[in-house]
Amino acid sequence: MGLFSKKQVQPKEYSQIIDSILPNPRKELAKSPYDSKLGLNMARDARKVLSGQMKIADFHKVYSSSLTKEFGKYYAAGEEQQKKNNGKGPKWVMVIDLQKCVGCDTCTVSCKAENRTPPGISYNVVMEQMSGDFPNVSLVNLPRPCMQCDQPPCVQVCPTRATYKLDNGIVAIDNDRCIGCRYCIVACPYGARSYDFGDSYEEMLGYNDVTSPEYGVDRGERKKGKTPVGTIRKCSFCFHRLERGEEPACVETCIGDARFFGDINDPNSTVSKLAASPRAFRLKEELGTEPSVIYLR
C-alpha cells in the first residue's frame, strides 16, 4: 500500500520482495547431513520441469540412482502422487487484498499462537519495503503464507514423499516420514518452509507441554527426538481448523479484513469472484507453480 505515493506496484516487484527473504541454498544445505550438491541440482531441475524444459519422467530417471544411494531405506521411489478432486470437493484458496493490509502483523502473531511455532519459525510473515524519496514515498506490505502450489517443487524433490498434495489443494507434510534433509526448503521459491531445530521459548511457561496439531495430528508434549522436532514445518492453511469448519487463524483475526478464504470450485464463493478481478495476481506466476494464494493489488 502507498504511504504518500499512489504509484501502482507491479506483480514483478512483489516477487522481488520475496526474493529478498529466501535462504541461501548452499548455507541451508550445509546444515543438512545429506548431499548438498544433490539437493541443489534437484531444486534446479524441479524448476525446469515446471517450466517445461524437462520431463518429469526424465527427472526421476536422472536422480533415482543418486537418491537410492544417499537415502537408502528412506527413499520412496516413483513419481509423487497428487490427488485430483475433479471439481467434486473443495479446492481451498486464500485471497489477500494488499490495499487493505495495514502491516499490523496480527496474522503473524495469531498464526504463532495457533500453531505454537518455535523461535525463528513463522508460517505467516508480513514483509515491508519502502521505496522512493520523500515526499514521493511508498510503503508496500506483502503478507506471505505458504502458497499451497498446484505444481509444488517441494513435493517433487522430497526423497521420502513426506511432502505431498491433498485433494483439497493443501500441500501437507507427513512429519513421521520427514527426515529433515531440507531439500524442499531450497526448492521452495517463496521461502515458506523452515527446519525445526527444537528451540524453545524459555520465558513462556508451558510452551513445550502441548504442540499444535501438525496437519490434524495432536502430538502432545514437545521434546528432543520427537516429531515435529528435526523435521520441516510450514503453513497448512490451519488444516486442523478447516476440519472443524473454521477458517485459518490469520483470516479470522485480520483486523483490516484483507484476507478471504474459501472454495474456488464454488463459482458463487467470495474467493472465486475475487480471483476473477482484474486486480488479481499470483507471485512468480512465470515459474508455473500455480499458487493457491491470490493477491489483489
Side-chain angles (χ1 to χ4, degrees):
M1 63 181 294
L3 186 60
F4 300 108
S5 173
K6 293 184 179 180
K7 174 190 173 185
Q8 181 79 3
V9 181
Q10 300 302 312
K12 189 174 183 179
E13 296 177 77
Y14 286 113
S15 293
Q16 290 171 349
I17 297 175
I18 289 288
D19 288 338
S20 69
I21 63 142
L22 294 179
N24 182 295
R26 286 179 173 78
K27 289 183 179 179
E28 188 67 43
L29 290 181
K31 306 170 189 175
S32 171
Y34 299 100
D35 188 341
S36 295
K37 186 176 180 180
L38 177 60
L40 291 169
N41 289 342
M42 288 183 70
R44 177 201 65 206
D45 287 344
R47 304 276 180 92
K48 289 184 179 180
V49 171
L50 292 177
S51 65
Q53 296 176 278
M54 187 177 193
K55 294 181 179 180
I56 185 66
D58 292 335
F59 177 88
H60 290 289
K61 187 182 297 183
V62 168
Y63 292 107
S64 179
S65 177
S66 297
L67 289 170
T68 300
K69 180 180 179 181
E70 182 66 20
F71 296 98
K73 65 179 182 179
Y74 297 114
Y75 172 47
E79 296 184 20
E80 61 276 4
Q81 298 297 315
Q82 294 189 29
K83 296 180 180 178
K84 301 294 182 182
N85 58 26
N86 297 317
K88 296 180 180 178
K91 168 65 166 59
W92 300 122
V93 164
M94 184 179 292
V95 177
I96 303 177
D97 190 336
L98 297 176
Q99 291 189 19
K100 290 184 175 181
C101 176
V102 297
C104 65
D105 291 313
T106 299
C107 55
T108 303
V109 175
S110 64
C111 177
K112 287 195 74 71
E114 178 70 32
N115 292 289
R116 300 182 70 89
T117 56
I121 296 181
S122 292
Y123 297 163
N124 257 288
V125 296
V126 181
M127 291 161 285
E128 295 182 347
Q129 180 171 287
M130 187 84 74
S131 63
D133 298 313
F134 185 84
N136 298 311
V137 180
S138 63
L139 175 65
V140 174
N141 297 316
L142 180 62
R144 189 238 55 204
C146 172
M147 297 293 114
Q148 315 295 351
C149 303
D150 272 348
Q151 301 296 327
C154 56
V155 171
Q156 194 171 310
V157 302
C158 181
T160 66
R161 297 287 173 260
T163 289
Y164 60 100
K165 191 167 181 63
L166 296 171
D167 56 3
N168 59 18
I170 294 174
V171 177
I173 301 174
D174 183 340
N175 292 90
D176 293 314
R177 291 179 66 93
C178 179
I179 56 175
C181 68
R182 301 175 175 84
Y183 285 11
C184 60
I185 292 180
V186 300
C188 175
Y190 303 101
R193 290 174 164 252
S194 303
Y195 179 82
D196 191 334
F197 287 96
D199 297 333
S200 299
Y201 289 102
E202 296 180 3
E203 70 278 13
M204 293 174 63
L205 296 177
Y207 167 73
N208 287 326
D209 294 343
V210 179
T211 59
S212 168
E214 294 292 324
Y215 303 93
V217 179
D218 189 356
R219 298 191 177 276
E221 183 184 1
R222 175 180 168 80
K223 57 185 178 181
K224 185 177 180 181
K226 181 181 178 182
T227 302
V229 174
T231 67
I232 304 301
R233 300 181 61 163
K234 74 172 191 69
C235 156
S236 67
F237 275 173
C238 283
F239 181 73
H240 56 287
R241 291 175 61 90
L242 300 182
E243 293 281 274
R244 301 196 298 258
E246 301 171 350
E247 291 183 317
C250 61
V251 176
E252 187 175 280
T253 60
C254 180
I255 66 170
D257 288 329
R259 296 193 180 214
F260 305 86
F261 190 82
D263 177 13
I264 201 167
N265 283 341
D266 177 2
N268 295 315
S269 68
T270 299
V271 292
S272 288
K273 295 174 182 177
L274 290 175
S277 165
R279 295 170 53 206
F281 74 97
R282 296 184 290 186
L283 291 172
K284 301 190 176 186
E285 286 193 270
E286 71 279 1
L287 294 181
T289 52
E290 300 180 22
S292 294
V293 175
I294 300 167
Y295 293 90
L296 303 178
R297 61 189 178 100

